[in-house]
């Protein structure tokens, strides 16, 4: 089926159909510029993560402001990014299965592609796919620096994999993937710093070990929105992989920033616009944004505006707003903005971004409608 | 972007790309037949809920087995169902906003369409849209029978709305929407029975009150997968709105069925097929199904097969499997099935159903690939 557009450029905010995924263009552009300024002032490169936005339009904006490339998590995402004009992609993930590997290797004929690996048989399979398509694939070794997800142990195990990549004629050793995913969401800034510094320490030892065996890590990548200043300060990491900084979400807003951090200068730029579809009781407003419009894995959305109005329940197609003070709930038919708990899986539920200029002004209007081009790119 | 198909008909199970949404056709067809047999043996009609499957193919199968129509929650869902050959749709929800109301009224020129309302201004707006498109819209009054979501109070308030519909020249009073959503997931069968019988009681009083004022409820609808036997036994309800019975999910499996209930004869027919993409530690297998492939609002997925293998963590693109006994985790590159916690929002993340025949046999193969045609139909 052809997807239905929630709005046309030029429409006032009030005319946007709901539930819709909204970008506050002013806040979004400011977030992009702040990160570009930060990266410009430090000895670090930005390889922004496209898993957050799934949009080649946004990826190209990031690169126009200095990002040297992007990260993807899936081959199908990378295909869509390359088709959309992005020429440098690191798949910051392991790719398994011959169909995906063939597509990855084929893509390396069109753009600069790198990928991660954490086991010998995957390296072997990557090499076979690269040979089949006549390309030389850049492969990073992923090390587990504390997240407990993918990645070999730092040190000797990583060295073994780096060697296997280095000696393979169709592969090129590209460096280390050292991303500490779970550290991003540690609330306390000192605890987050500690976890990230442990990751830096493990990465540094591994880089040194590899160097002592003649293996240079061209890319030492990691650093999400919650921690990238610490990886930058390490003087070791050379690529940041932050994604959420462009939008921010309610979960990231719960992090406490360290003093002097630029983290707090990023502002919410992603919202769900929703309509009050029922006011069945004095203290209950039902909105049309449910589980199919906003992901609740990191908690319920937060209502913009009066902090006393709370999003307290959600089901497939409905959200329930309540307030302790009667009379402050939005009325029947009113539209309001809510901040998603977690931006990435929320974006992945929508076909379009409705990009609004002057969101907080009387002249708020739709400036553009961008497809979430890689929505559902699971493979 | 054109979506990538995860498999072609004829492929063996092992060739399906992952993460994929799988229908076990044998189990699915048995579930369809069981419900059809049940409805055939009782004084009740089935109006199956299409919010679960979002597929006109499945809706037509339900109607071929006796369902008199389907339910949708969104106008855009209803449009896709009608375009796919479904001629009788109840939008079991309130529709707010002129754009949606116009589309709803226009659709009533193509198929039999009914909708719910729970406030006077919505009834007025429905009437205007119906007049604009020269149709007579059937409108049900939604009453809140315990779910605390949409719906007016049973009794006098409902009578007021039914009268407003009845006197409007472009509207037709269609009956009562009396669905107790939250009762579906009450674990204990006695507690669930109690909540549902309260709903039946409130509905009966309202039906009687309306009849005493000359307003007949042609449709008295409700009853989800967790409770439909109780609504049927009431002798009052005449339409069931169950949806999940076709697939079942891990959350519904946690319900305790009453003795003699047919609930337990429904079996899991919906799965996510996922690949082990990393085995970084003895007690950790990482699979490629994360938050963008399976909804966790009702808990993590459950692994099919060895009950000692558990899905213990999830992030955007990764799932973590662990087991107390070392050595029983699936190996690198292995593919396995998991049962989603909640089928509806999980289906809504996928572009295709991969329909497998003989799933539990050596000859398991893809028989069809069906689009999730109304995926993302949010409006």
């Amino acid at each position: 089926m052809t997807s239905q557009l929630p709005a046309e450029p030029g429409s006032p905010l009030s005319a946007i159909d709901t539930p819709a995924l909204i970008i506050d263009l002013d806040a979004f552009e400011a977030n992009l510029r702040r990160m570009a300024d930060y990266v410009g002032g430090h000895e670090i490169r930005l390889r922004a993560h496209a898993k957050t936005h799934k949009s080649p339009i946004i990826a190209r904006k990031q690169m126009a402001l200095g990002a040297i490339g992007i990260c993807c998590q899936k081959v199908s995402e990378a295909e869509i990014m390359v088709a959309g004009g992005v020429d440098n992609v690191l798949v910051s993930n392991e790719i398994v299965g011959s169909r995906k590997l063939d597509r990855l290797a084929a893509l390396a004929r069109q753009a600069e592609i790198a990928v991660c690996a954490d086991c010998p048989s995957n390296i072997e399979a990557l090499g076979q796919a690269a040979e089949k398509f006549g390309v030389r694939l850049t492969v990073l070794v992923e090390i587990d620096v504390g997240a407990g997800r993918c990645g070999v142990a730092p040190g000797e195990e990583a060295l073994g994999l780096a060697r296997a990549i280095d000696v393979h004629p169709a592969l090129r050793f590209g460096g280390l993937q050292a991303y500490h995913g779970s550290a991003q969401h540690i609330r306390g800034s000192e605890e987050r710093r500690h976890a990230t510094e442990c990751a830096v320490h493990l990465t540094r030892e591994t880089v040194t070990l590899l160097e002592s065996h003649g293996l240079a890590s061209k890319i030492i990548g990691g650093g999400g929105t919650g921690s990238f200043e610490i990886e930058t300060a390490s003087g070791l990491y050379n690529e940041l992989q932050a994604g959420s900084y462009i939008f921010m979400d309610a979960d990231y807003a719960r992090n406490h920033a360290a003093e002097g951090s630029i983290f707090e200068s990023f502002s919410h730029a992603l919202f769900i616009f929703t309509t009050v579809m029922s006011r069945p009781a004095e203290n209950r407003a039902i909105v049309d944004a449910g589980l199919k419009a906003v992901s609740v894995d990191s908690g319920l959305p937060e209502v913009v505006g009066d902090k006393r109005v709370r999003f307290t329940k959600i089901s497939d197609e409905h959200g329930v707003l309540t307030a302790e003070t009667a009379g402050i709930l939005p009325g029947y038919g009113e539209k309001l903005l809510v901040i998603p708990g977690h931006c990435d899986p929320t974006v992945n539920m929508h076909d379009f971004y409705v990009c609004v200029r002057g969101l907080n002004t009387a002249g708020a209007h739709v400036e553009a409608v961008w497809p979430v081009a890689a929505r559902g790119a699971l493979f």
Side-chain angles (χ1 to χ4, degrees), chain A:
Chain A
M1 295 300 294
T2 308
S3 302
Q4 185 178 325
L5 262 69
E8 302 280 335
S11 304
L13 182 68
S14 59
I16 299 170
D17 208 355
T18 64
L21 185 67
I22 303 281
I23 293 181
D24 174 343
L25 281 177
D26 305 296
F28 163 75
E29 290 166 0
N31 289 342
L32 285 181
R33 278 194 308 271
R34 277 187 193 106
M35 183 59 104
D37 289 347
Y38 175 84
V39 168
H42 292 82
E43 285 291 312
I44 196 91
R45 303 187 293 264
L46 175 64
R47 183 182 288 279
H49 218 308
K51 82 188 188 69
T52 299
H53 55 67
K54 290 181 168 273
S55 160
I57 297 174
I58 297 177
R60 293 198 311 266
K61 284 181 190 296
Q62 292 173 312
M63 292 181 73
L65 284 170
I68 55 116
I70 60 160
C71 291
C72 287
Q73 294 291 73
K74 301 281 183 172
V75 178
S76 53
E77 260 177 22
E79 289 174 329
I80 292 165
M81 292 297 150
V82 170
V86 175
D87 59 4
N88 189 333
V89 179
L90 164 62
V91 179
S92 54
N93 201 6
E94 283 68 29
I95 299 302
V96 176
S98 61
R99 186 191 197 205
K100 290 187 178 84
L101 289 165
D102 280 359
R103 296 182 82 123
L104 181 78
L107 198 63
R109 293 200 68 94
Q110 297 180 53
E112 201 171 324
I113 302 291
V115 65
C116 299
D118 70 355
C119 79
S121 59
N122 191 219
I123 291 168
E124 194 49 47
L126 282 165
Q128 282 172 17
E131 279 168 355
K132 182 169 168 185
F133 286 86
V135 294
R136 192 151 174 222
L137 264 178
T138 299
V139 183
L140 280 67
V141 172
E142 179 163 17
I143 55 175
D144 179 5
V145 291
R149 206 166 62 186
C150 301
V152 286
E156 289 296 333
E157 262 199 89
L159 174 62
L161 294 185
R163 276 175 162 153
I165 296 164
D166 188 55
V167 300
H168 198 294
L171 304 178
R172 181 187 295 117
F173 174 63
L176 295 176
Q177 171 71 11
Y179 177 67
H180 193 329
S182 52
Q184 306 308 314
H185 308 277
I186 297 174
R187 298 304 175 213
S189 65
E190 274 313 302
E191 293 84 344
R192 197 163 62 249
R193 170 180 300 279
H194 177 71
T196 311
E197 283 176 350
C198 286
V200 170
H201 175 73
L202 293 166
T203 307
R204 194 185 303 277
E205 285 190 338
T206 309
V207 169
T208 305
L209 176 69
L210 267 59
E211 275 173 359
S212 75
H213 288 81
L215 292 161
S217 295
K218 193 179 157 203
I219 298 175
I220 303 167
T225 295
S227 74
F228 69 88
E229 291 168 287
I230 305 162
E231 280 89 352
T232 303
S234 73
L236 174 75
Y237 281 67
N238 52 31
E239 289 196 3
L240 301 179
Q241 302 178 342
S244 301
Y245 75 95
I246 61 170
F247 293 147
M248 300 303 285
D249 56 33
D251 192 73
Y252 264 124
R254 288 177 203 118
N255 273 11
H256 301 291
E259 212 173 298
S261 163
I262 74 151
F263 181 81
E264 285 183 331
S265 73
F266 296 120
S267 45
H268 293 300
L270 189 85
F271 303 91
I272 302 294
F273 199 40
T274 183
T275 300
V276 176
M277 53 182 286
S278 177
R279 277 301 313 274
E282 180 70 18
N283 189 26
R284 191 162 79 238
I286 310 299
V287 295
D288 64 2
L291 292 168
K292 295 174 186 171
V294 60
S295 186
V296 299
D297 64 273
S298 300
L300 290 167
E302 291 184 2
V303 178
V304 174
D306 195 326
K307 289 283 169 206
R308 295 170 301 171
V309 178
R310 300 193 59 200
F311 206 117
T312 47
K313 238 171 100 180
I314 196 162
S315 52
D316 287 346
E317 290 86 6
H318 301 90
V320 181
L321 308 186
T322 54
E324 279 176 34
T325 316
I328 60 166
L329 283 174
Y332 170 79
E334 274 187 45
K335 293 177 177 177
L336 61 145
L337 296 163
V338 301
I339 303 165
H342 190 179
C343 51
D344 300 28
T346 297
V347 165
N348 190 53
M349 294 176 180
H350 292 263
D351 290 312
F352 298 102
Y353 290 108
V354 180
C355 305
V356 175
R357 182 66 67 191
L359 182 64
N360 298 312
T361 70
H365 66 277
V366 178
E367 184 169 299
V369 178
W370 295 339
V372 183
R375 185 215 53 75
L378 290 169
F379 304 110

